[in-house]
Amino acid sequence: MARLIIQTGGIDAAPGELNWGINRVGRAPDSDVYINHPSVSGRHCEIELGPDFVIVRDCGSTNGTFIEGRPIQEGRLAPGQRLKLGQVEAIVERSQEQVHVPQIAAEPIPQTIPLTDGTLSCVNHPDMRAYWRCKDCQKMYCTGCIHEVHLVGGKSHRLCPKCSHEVDLLVWDDGAAGKKSIWGKIKGAFSKSKRQRTVRLR
């Protein structure tokens, strides 16, 4: 971190610890850095401490704020430069510790993927076929993901689990999921033959 170290002799002041952000410096008892000297105003200046900068702002002090002898209203304090508050000289001493920001890996966004039968998968279950598409966000879901709300009177609504809009039933064409199995074709032919015999009997 950083400290404001008083270099003018005869002043009973311990090094003032500076925190990140704004630090109030002055003779007022509630100052973040208290300096008991008649040339220092109650609220003399502010020292803003950032990751790679120190900025000093005068707060309308009576005797002025100076960086390297130059009066300032606001100025950037470089390492090693002298700060003067009224008749009190000081320096800002800061450590070279680095701020480490942890790397947070973003979670992958669920995606619908093509299945081997030519249909598309549920966005939450990549190995299951999607049967519903949200009217609003257009995401596809299997039946297990859909929220079904039953209203008074027996009417029910199927809703998207993400945005709560209604969903539409997906109808896959015969070129994909609609292809019948061998057993399905046999049952279909048997049913057709039975219907034809029924018509002849009539």
Side-chain angles (χ1 to χ4, degrees):
M1 298 296 290
R3 299 185 302 169
L4 182 67
I5 300 176
I6 306 299
Q7 295 196 312
T8 301
I11 299 177
D12 184 16
E17 297 292 335
L18 300 176
N19 299 313
W20 295 111
I22 303 296
N23 298 267
R24 298 174 299 168
V25 182
R27 202 169 75 244
D30 62 345
S31 299
D32 297 310
V33 179
Y34 173 66
I35 303 176
N36 186 17
H37 191 272
S39 69
V40 175
S41 298
R43 186 177 179 186
H44 197 100
C45 70
E46 291 179 345
I47 299 178
E48 181 179 358
L49 181 65
D52 59 354
F53 65 85
V54 177
I55 293 176
V56 181
R57 299 183 186 91
D58 185 79
C59 296
S61 65
T62 302
N63 296 305
T65 301
F66 306 82
I67 294 178
E68 290 293 307
R70 178 174 55 89
I72 58 102
Q73 290 299 314
E74 177 176 316
R76 192 181 184 106
L77 187 66
Q81 287 187 323
R82 291 184 175 275
L83 179 65
K84 189 176 180 182
L85 313 177
Q87 300 300 316
V88 177
E89 290 191 355
I91 61 169
V92 173
E93 181 184 83
R94 63 182 306 171
S95 63
Q96 298 301 315
E97 64 182 23
Q98 296 181 349
V99 178
H100 296 282
V101 179
Q103 297 288 333
I104 301 176
E107 294 185 4
I109 300 174
Q111 297 288 339
T112 293
I113 60 174
L115 298 176
T116 55
D117 62 1
T119 63
L120 296 175
S121 75
C122 168
V123 69
N124 293 326
H125 304 96
D127 57 341
M128 298 184 67
R129 185 185 304 162
Y131 288 101
W132 305 92
R133 189 205 313 266
C134 177
K135 294 181 178 180
D136 185 66
C137 69
Q138 297 299 307
K139 293 191 180 297
M140 298 182 184
Y141 300 96
C142 63
T143 301
C145 287
I146 296 303
H147 294 167
E148 190 166 359
V149 178
H150 298 277
L151 302 179
V152 177
K155 189 175 181 181
S156 63
H157 292 271
R158 293 181 175 89
L159 306 178
C160 172
K162 177 178 175 61
C163 62
S164 298
H165 284 79
E166 290 193 346
V167 294
D168 286 327
L169 179 66
L170 289 170
V171 179
W172 301 106
D173 60 31
D174 290 338
K179 289 185 177 180
K180 292 183 178 179
S181 64
I182 297 298
W183 176 242
K185 290 179 180 179
I186 294 173
K187 289 202 307 183
F190 179 78
S191 299
K192 182 178 179 181
S193 176
K194 185 177 180 180
R195 287 197 300 270
Q196 288 174 346
R197 287 200 304 271
T198 303
V199 171
R200 291 195 190 100
L201 290 173
R202 289 179 183 176

